[in-house]
Amino acid sequence: MNWYLIYGCIFASALILSLIFTPLCRKIAFLSGFLDVPAIQAHKGHKKATPLLGGLAMSWAWIITISAGYIGMIYMKSGTHSFPLTPDGANPEAASRHLLGICAAALMAVFLGLYDDRFALSAKVKLIGQIIVAFVAVSLGDVKITIFFTNPVIVYGISIFWLLLIMNSINFFDNMDGLAAGTASIALSIFGI
């Protein structure tokens, strides 16, 4: 099994789905009035109303790609195959549980962001929501920073703090068109390499 080919297909699938869903979500945003209007907030750098559903388009693409991969894994597991179901031979059931936690946290983050875009949550409420999202990612998704520490309390605390830092760093880039997406793409490329 060539895992590089599989990873390439997964990346291409998510990219193509994002390219399909983005114009659709843009149209939905204009029809529903789900727009970032710069006249309302003085710190915005753009001049005209901008649709806000780009993150939803990417999350749809991501969830569909993850779901297709999971269905493929179940299909491969049901047959007789001589190759491991994960690149490192890890237990696919354990990986599935963690993946479910990551997906739950990601969907919670998307809905929190959409709600905030629509109704402008206070900083306190948004932070509480982000802490819940980070807790789900760390607890159920097993997304943990373990390179420097082994104490579980410290690992949980630093991991939750890191996720909060990343969410808010990207969220603060919402004053210019494409800045958050561009920064996230650069980070994705570096982490991917």
Side-chain angles (χ1 to χ4, degrees):
M1 174 65 60
N2 185 340
W3 286 102
Y4 292 111
L5 178 62
I6 290 173
Y7 291 151
C9 289
I10 291 168
F11 177 79
S13 298
L15 177 64
I16 290 167
L17 287 171
S18 290
L19 292 172
I20 291 169
F21 290 141
T22 299
L24 175 65
C25 284
R26 184 177 193 276
K27 188 175 283 190
I28 292 170
F30 277 114
L31 290 174
S32 65
F34 215 97
L35 304 169
D36 183 10
V37 182
I40 295 173
Q41 296 174 327
H43 73 281
K44 301 291 183 176
H46 54 281
K47 303 290 184 218
K48 60 182 182 175
T50 305
L52 288 171
L53 297 179
L56 184 63
M58 290 186 289
S59 66
W60 283 350
W62 184 72
I63 287 293
I64 290 171
T65 303
I66 293 285
S67 300
Y70 186 76
I71 291 167
M73 186 181 77
I74 291 171
Y75 170 75
M76 301 245 266
K77 185 180 172 192
S78 67
T80 55
H81 301 285
S82 60
F83 55 86
L85 294 175
T86 58
D88 58 0
N91 179 356
E93 283 78 21
S96 298
R97 285 192 301 275
H98 297 314
L99 183 61
L100 184 62
I102 292 168
C103 288
L107 287 174
M108 289 168 64
V110 168
F111 289 122
L112 179 67
L114 288 172
Y115 193 84
D116 179 43
D117 285 343
R118 189 64 165 185
F119 301 108
L121 294 172
S122 70
K124 181 179 178 181
V125 172
K126 193 185 322 185
L127 181 62
I128 291 169
Q130 290 172 339
I131 290 170
I132 293 168
V133 168
F135 183 78
V136 169
V138 171
S139 298
L140 301 179
D142 201 35
V143 176
K144 295 178 186 150
I145 298 173
T146 58
I147 192 168
F148 300 114
F149 304 101
T150 56
N151 181 306
V153 174
I154 294 174
V155 166
Y156 263 74
I158 288 179
S159 300
I160 288 172
F161 175 75
W162 177 73
L163 288 168
L164 290 172
L165 181 70
I166 296 298
M167 281 189 275
N168 283 292
S169 297
I170 297 300
N171 194 32
F172 287 144
F173 287 156
D174 74 344
N175 65 337
M176 291 175 56
D177 294 343
L179 184 60
T183 304
S185 297
I186 292 167
L188 165 77
S189 301
I190 291 170
F191 284 128
I193 290 167

